Amino acid sequence: MKGKIVLVDGHSLAHRAFFALPPLTTGRGEPTNAIYGVTMMTLRLLEQEKPDYFLAAFDVGKTFRHEAFADYKKNRREPPQDFLAQLPGIKKFFTCVGGTVVGVEGYEADDVIGTMSAQARAAGLEVVVVSGDRDLFQLIDEGVTVLYTRRGITEVEKVTADWIREKYGLTPAQLIDLKALAGDPSDNIPGVPGVGEKTALRLLKEFGGVDELLNRLEEVANPRQRELIAAHAEQVRENKKLVTIVKDVALPVSITDCRWREPEPEALAGFFREMEFKSLLQKMFPAVKRERLPAPEFRMLTAEELPEFLAGAGDEPAAFQFIAAGAAWNRGKALGAAFSLPSGARGFLPLSGEDFPEELRRWLADPEAPKICHGAKVQMTLAHHYGAVVQGLAFDTEIAGYLLRGGLGHTDLNALFRDFLGEPDLPVIEDEKGKVLDIFSLPPEYAAEPGRIAPPAVARAMAVEKLRPVLEERLRREGLAKLYYEIELPLVQVLFAMEKRGIKVSPDRLHRLQEKLAAKIERLEKDIHTLAGGEFNISSPKQLGEVLFERLKLPRGRKTKTGYSTDAGVLEELAAQHPVARLVLDYRGLVKLKTTYVDSLLSLIHPATSRVHTTFQQTVTATGRLSSTDPNLQNIPVRTEEGREIRCCFVPGSPEEVFLSADYSQIELRILAHLSGDEKLVAAFNEGADIHSRTAAEIFNLSPEEVTPVWRNRAKAVNFGIIYGISPFGLARGTGVSRKEAEEYIKAYFQRYRGVETFFGGLIAKARETGWVTTILNRRRYLPDLVSKNFQSRSFAERMARNTPIQGSAADLIKLAMVRVDERLRREKIPAALLLQVHDELLVETERESARRVAEILREEMESVYALAVPLPVEIKTGDNWGEMAVFPADA
């Protein structure tokens, strides 16, 4: 018999994959990370080894070793349930891929492999064993090698007799004696006291094996070792029996039964679909890549037929989705509305021109008619273009997907439908060149082709309707329902109202600032050219690099593909050596302010409202924070004079109105105190102490009177740096102290605040085990790189694991505060409205005579939003523009 047999240690590969990969689940909530890892390893193995025979061995219950030694493997923790739940799927995969799966009662997978290896060698086959267990190295012989999975699912090493000899100075068979003498902690096999691996290796090289050693004990030079080995001679003999792989197990299969069969495409593709391995399905079965769901049956509706059709939903939510030629605030035209009812009835209502049927308007505005959709805020915006409102929102699949994905992205409807339901891709609209079009940015002429745009639109409504119960169940099961229904879903309406209202900007102020910045930029440009000895394009990194490092001969930093790096970090280091670097940084800052904010704001003023209508992104950030686009109003610098001048251009809508700003004070540090329970931190906040001065006194061993502004600022950098997992290098760079000093500061912090150190240590350990971290309100963030082999990726994930529960909790609390403030203002019918949310700050526009009451509501709702172990104080300011705000007077 000729050929090759591959023997896979199924349990070992499954274990390796489970702990190497982040948690993965199907849309049904079934874990699949171990299955996916084994699948990837095996497919690569089959491609490289091209076996003639293929067997996967598994452990089956207790073995004869447990009977012989009651404490065998007793120190091992019970396997996680998510691991055990995947073993049937892994065995199914081996079958689908053409292998033979074997497990024998009373024996380990090692014994199955040892027996089949012996039979295969006797039959003349080459043997390749695949395992992450070094116990199998004892099987290595002429014609028998082990592919050792060292780490993760990609790092594999070929182990031969020469490899064993080079590493240990032994033969593979002598490895049995090595474990018998030195023991094996992983299997809870005790070695001879005082005889570790180093001593055991020396003894085996001298005596050859444990049998010879025990027969010639008197020759052992060290009296103490001779005495200990003699005292434990019987244990050594028993150990050898335990660690020796059995090679004569009565197997239920023969070698010929293990002939590898080309996998049946249908079976393997079906397995990939079941496990929702979409990328593998598309890679191995390219035809599937183009598979799309057939267009569902539907009814083309008229406006008159709409009420009767929608009445078919009864009290159940009806899914609806617009399809449009633009959906932004300064443009937008709905081309049609698709509907899907729980009864299975589906319909499409074409929309043309500026007409918006009254029947559709009434249904959208009816709060008693529950509605579900994907991206509700976009649907509300489209309806708003026609003066229609959307009420009765019962579910938004995009928001639900965002929470369930936990920072991993992919919240578009097609991805959710595919991944959570295991369905093919949804139908799309393509142009004449085959390019897939955005259903919210279709060419206007498509309005004349309802037959072309209706099927994909109806399919989207159908996907929303089918997804809702599945996502609802997942939200409930993962403890996210409260966060979803009490914060994220109501927030959709709040954010829409903020976007609709917009915020007024003064064009006159902006134009004056534009001219001022242009003049400053021009002066800086001349100064830079003078210092550089000639003109060049300052915005060109290549030309700037040539000036700095070749003309001015400054120390060269790191190189990029296009030349020397001239990023902000490099320029900051060079600034101490040449003034041109600081001027370039200033130049870049002013150019960014002018182009990104001033020029952009002028172009984005809505002609009808004279306001800027930003878009708040609710499903983008991994921490749960909101972001703002077109324009981004959250990143306007507040610490620079020019940044404050930009904020001064934002003004109330009329002279009778005023701005109120409510800002949480040090919310992240307060959340850290709450989560860590550190007694000193909690006490400091409860006593109303200046936390940075208190920290300075604690970690620098100063009396309160000795804390100068310099020490306070250093403590402030440490306080906030700790949250973000700052390194000594980063802290040194930010404070101007030496790296050694910064290291001492961090060390001193954790010595003083032991609760914080314990909290972060436990947080990261648990995150490595579960694959995610959570906020106060149970928002999840998955961090797969916590187990990455790449140091930088792993370190970044660890920083995110520290920061997310704090920053994400702050995001949760201010979102909840927004919902409650908005509800209070509407309930009390106060002429005021939320305008912006910028991290820990809320900006409100109100009539002057209502300002006191609005300030009271802001303080009441924000400070009582959640019961922390420390107070949550809010600072209220007021002003006639956003940049010049004064503390709200107590007697106003």
Side-chain angles (χ1 to χ4, degrees):
M1 184 179 287
K2 292 184 179 181
K4 179 193 296 184
I5 186 169
V6 168
L7 304 174
V8 171
D9 183 349
H11 241 93
S12 172
L13 258 65
H15 191 269
R16 183 78 65 185
F18 180 80
F19 288 100
L21 296 179
L24 299 174
T25 60
T26 65
R28 304 177 297 278
E30 299 162 349
T32 58
N33 63 328
I35 300 173
Y36 183 76
V38 170
T39 298
M40 294 299 292
M41 284 191 281
T42 304
L43 291 175
R44 191 180 302 113
L45 172 72
L46 291 172
E47 183 179 347
Q48 292 173 350
E49 296 298 326
K50 297 178 174 54
D52 302 286
Y53 304 87
F54 182 41
L55 177 144
F58 285 85
D59 298 339
V60 181
K62 297 286 186 182
T63 70
F64 72 91
R65 294 180 178 88
H66 293 90
E67 295 178 8
F69 179 46
D71 290 337
Y72 182 64
K73 294 187 177 181
K74 191 175 182 180
N75 59 346
R76 292 193 182 183
R77 290 186 299 176
E78 284 295 314
Q81 285 302 310
D82 279 359
F83 170 76
L84 297 175
Q86 296 182 68
L87 291 178
I90 291 170
K91 293 175 182 178
K92 182 176 181 179
F93 163 71
F94 281 126
T95 301
C96 289
V97 86
T100 301
V101 175
V102 176
V104 178
E105 191 73 40
Y107 293 92
E108 295 181 48
D110 293 5
D111 302 316
V112 173
I113 290 171
T115 300
M116 184 57 75
S117 174
Q119 293 180 10
R121 285 305 297 143
L125 293 176
E126 177 188 351
V127 177
V128 176
V129 176
V130 185
S131 178
D133 185 352
R134 288 182 294 179
D135 290 350
L136 286 158
F137 288 1
Q138 64 182 266
L139 298 179
I140 293 170
D141 201 348
E142 184 179 349
V144 181
T145 57
V146 171
L147 293 181
Y148 177 54
T149 54
R150 291 179 57 86
R151 187 189 301 172
I153 64 170
T154 57
E155 196 173 323
V156 178
E157 186 163 8
K158 187 175 183 179
V159 180
T160 62
D162 288 341
W163 187 96
I164 299 293
R165 192 174 299 108
E166 184 175 335
K167 183 172 179 64
Y168 297 103
L170 304 176
T171 66
Q174 285 178 300
L175 295 178
I176 300 171
D177 300 271
L178 179 63
K179 287 185 71 172
L181 269 178
D184 183 357
S186 67
D187 287 341
N188 201 38
I189 294 174
V192 175
V195 178
E197 184 174 287
K198 188 175 180 181
T199 301
L201 284 170
R202 180 177 55 76
L203 291 170
L204 290 174
K205 288 172 186 175
E206 182 180 350
F207 292 95
V210 293
D211 294 333
E212 189 68 15
L213 170 64
L214 295 176
N215 288 335
R216 296 162 51 197
L217 261 180
E218 69 280 357
E219 297 178 29
V220 174
N222 187 307
R224 178 60 178 161
Q225 288 177 0
R226 183 168 63 245
E227 181 182 320
L228 286 168
I229 295 171
H232 294 84
E234 190 56 37
Q235 178 185 302
V236 171
R237 294 188 180 95
E238 289 302 314
N239 283 355
K240 185 167 183 177
K241 292 178 184 177
L242 287 174
V243 301
T244 301
I245 292 174
V246 178
K247 296 182 180 179
D248 58 357
V249 177
L251 299 179
V253 295
S254 65
I255 294 176
T256 55
D257 294 327
C258 299
R259 179 168 288 280
W260 182 63
R261 309 171 300 281
E262 280 286 345
E264 290 290 332
E266 293 81 5
L268 192 55
F271 177 80
F272 289 161
R273 285 195 192 93
E274 180 187 354
M275 296 298 145
E276 299 175 14
F277 296 162
K278 303 298 179 182
S279 58
L280 279 174
L281 186 62
Q282 293 174 4
K283 179 182 178 182
M284 296 191 66
F285 305 96
V288 177
K289 189 174 184 178
R290 295 185 294 274
E291 182 183 354
R292 293 195 179 274
L293 194 76
E297 293 184 5
F298 66 95
R299 173 181 164 191
M300 197 69 79
L301 300 167
T302 64
E304 294 74 22
E305 294 170 331
L306 186 62
E308 180 186 354
F309 173 82
L310 292 172
D315 295 331
E316 292 295 308
F320 84 98
Q321 292 291 119
F322 281 121
I323 195 164
W329 279 102
N330 60 351
R331 66 185 188 280
K333 182 179 179 183
L335 305 183
F339 305 90
S340 181
L341 309 185
S343 63
R346 288 155 196 145
F348 184 81
L349 177 67
L351 301 171
S352 60
E354 296 303 315
D355 295 332
F356 199 80
E358 190 60 33
E359 295 84 354
L360 178 57
R361 192 186 303 273
R362 280 198 300 268
W363 180 77
L364 289 173
D366 184 0
E368 300 302 317
K371 304 163 188 73
I372 57 175
C373 56
H374 185 84
K377 192 150 62 65
V378 173
Q379 314 297 319
M380 292 173 179
T381 304
L382 282 164
H384 172 70
H385 292 320
Y386 297 91
V389 297
V390 178
Q391 298 187 85
L393 179 64
F395 201 83
D396 185 334
T397 51
E398 182 181 32
I399 305 296
Y402 169 64
L403 290 185
L404 292 169
R405 291 291 195 196
L408 296 179
H410 305 299
T411 58
D412 63 280
L413 181 58
N414 187 71
L416 297 178
F417 183 67
R418 182 187 63 214
D419 295 347
F420 281 89
L421 295 182
E423 296 280 2
D425 288 346
L426 293 167
V428 295
I429 301 172
E430 298 178 336
D431 63 13
E432 288 69 21
K433 295 181 180 179
K435 179 184 176 183
V436 176
L437 301 177
D438 181 349
I439 64 153
F440 293 122
S441 300
L442 294 172
E445 58 268 22
Y446 276 62
E449 301 185 57
R452 184 176 183 183
I453 63 176
V458 172
R460 288 179 66 84
M462 177 272 299
V464 168
E465 187 263 319
K466 287 185 173 296
L467 271 169
R468 180 182 66 91
V470 175
L471 299 184
E472 277 187 321
E473 169 58 22
R474 282 289 299 277
L475 288 169
R476 184 198 61 76
R477 191 191 320 157
E478 295 185 14
L480 293 166
K482 188 178 178 71
L483 177 64
Y484 180 79
Y485 286 108
E486 295 186 12
I487 299 180
E488 294 289 356
L489 193 61
L491 188 64
V492 174
Q493 188 73 55
V494 175
L495 294 177
F496 167 72
M498 292 166 65
E499 292 178 5
K500 181 177 70 171
R501 187 177 183 99
I503 182 169
K504 188 175 180 179
V505 292
S506 168
D508 292 340
R509 286 194 174 194
L510 280 173
H511 281 300
R512 288 198 297 271
L513 183 55
Q514 189 179 46
E515 293 171 2
K516 181 180 177 179
L517 289 174
K520 280 189 173 183
I521 290 168
E522 186 178 353
R523 284 197 300 272
L524 275 173
E525 192 173 44
K526 289 179 181 178
D527 291 343
I528 291 168
H529 288 159
T530 299
L531 287 170
E535 293 188 1
F536 67 99
N537 183 354
I538 303 170
S539 298
S540 165
K542 185 174 186 296
Q543 291 185 35
L544 177 61
E546 290 171 354
V547 168
L548 295 176
F549 305 121
E550 295 177 13
R551 188 186 302 177
L552 299 178
K553 307 297 183 183
L554 294 178
R556 296 175 178 182
R558 59 186 180 280
K559 248 191 167 183
T560 67
K561 291 180 180 178
T562 56
Y564 292 103
S565 172
T566 57
D567 63 18
V570 171
L571 292 178
E572 286 286 358
E573 291 176 8
L574 294 176
Q577 303 179 51
H578 200 289
V580 73
R582 174 54 58 193
L583 293 185
V584 171
L585 284 168
D586 295 342
Y587 174 88
R588 285 180 178 177
L590 292 180
V591 169
K592 181 178 180 180
L593 282 177
K594 181 178 178 296
T595 57
T596 305
Y597 296 108
V598 179
D599 298 348
S600 175
L601 283 170
L602 281 167
S603 69
L604 290 171
I605 297 174
H606 197 290
T609 65
S610 299
R611 290 176 174 248
V612 170
H613 299 268
T614 187
T615 297
F616 290 101
Q617 304 290 349
Q618 194 178 351
T619 61
V620 172
T621 69
T623 59
R625 275 187 166 184
L626 295 173
S627 63
S628 143
T629 57
D630 300 323
N632 181 352
L633 299 180
Q634 295 187 323
N635 284 350
I636 300 174
V638 70
R639 292 186 176 88
T640 64
E641 177 190 346
E642 292 82 4
R644 287 190 293 273
E645 285 187 78
I646 293 174
R647 284 194 168 202
C648 288
C649 297
F650 292 84
V651 296
S654 71
E656 291 74 35
E657 293 175 308
V658 69
F659 282 158
L660 285 178
S661 164
D663 195 353
Y664 277 121
S665 172
Q666 301 169 334
I667 187 172
E668 292 185 350
L669 290 176
R670 293 171 186 275
I671 288 171
L672 174 61
H674 172 82
L675 292 175
S676 68
D678 183 273
E679 292 180 2
K680 290 182 179 178
L681 265 187
V682 171
F685 281 119
N686 283 330
E687 293 165 8
D690 178 334
I691 191 63
H692 301 313
S693 294
R694 177 70 66 88
T695 299
E698 289 281 356
I699 68 176
F700 304 135
N701 292 317
L702 303 171
S703 67
E705 295 76 24
E706 293 175 309
V707 177
T708 64
V710 171
W711 286 117
R712 185 184 183 278
N713 285 334
R714 289 182 182 179
K716 183 177 180 179
V718 174
N719 272 330
F720 286 107
I722 290 297
I723 294 174
Y724 291 89
I726 198 168
S727 65
F729 175 78
L731 182 60
R733 191 170 181 175
T735 57
V737 302
S738 70
R739 187 170 179 177
K740 185 175 181 181
E741 280 182 284
E743 193 170 348
E744 289 299 318
Y745 292 171
I746 295 173
K747 184 178 178 181
Y749 181 96
F750 284 124
Q751 285 176 341
R752 294 289 183 170
Y753 299 111
R754 293 288 188 185
V756 176
E757 184 176 36
T758 302
F759 165 67
F760 281 133
L763 183 71
I764 292 174
K766 185 178 179 183
R768 281 205 183 95
E769 193 174 305
T770 62
W772 69 77
V773 290
T774 62
T775 66
I776 284 177
L777 299 181
N778 209 38
R779 183 188 304 277
R780 285 189 186 186
R781 181 178 184 180
Y782 291 99
L783 293 166
D785 282 341
L786 281 171
V787 291
S788 171
K789 290 183 294 183
N790 182 281
F791 174 77
Q792 288 184 321
S793 298
R794 189 171 65 253
S795 297
F796 179 77
E798 287 175 357
R799 289 196 296 274
M800 293 307 99
R802 294 162 67 106
N803 171 246
T804 297
I806 299 167
Q807 191 181 95
S809 293
D812 288 350
L813 298 190
I814 200 158
K815 281 181 173 180
L816 181 55
M818 291 171 72
V819 172
R820 292 184 177 175
V821 167
D822 179 77
E823 191 276 330
R824 279 284 298 277
L825 294 176
R826 286 188 291 105
R827 174 157 47 88
E828 297 188 19
K829 296 184 171 60
I830 297 175
L834 284 166
L835 296 185
L836 295 177
Q837 183 266 327
V838 181
H839 307 316
D840 305 328
E841 174 191 5
L842 297 183
L843 186 67
V844 177
E845 185 176 57
T846 180
E847 291 185 0
R848 290 182 186 275
E849 62 185 27
S850 302
R852 169 167 282 283
R853 181 61 186 145
V854 174
E856 290 172 353
I857 290 172
L858 285 167
R859 194 178 301 281
E860 289 170 10
E861 295 300 337
M862 293 179 72
E863 291 188 346
S864 66
V865 71
Y866 190 88
L868 295 180
V870 298
L872 260 182
V874 171
E875 183 178 55
I876 309 289
K877 292 182 178 182
T878 186
D880 291 324
N881 64 65
W882 189 22
E884 296 171 323
M885 308 279 280
V887 175
F888 191 81
D891 57 350

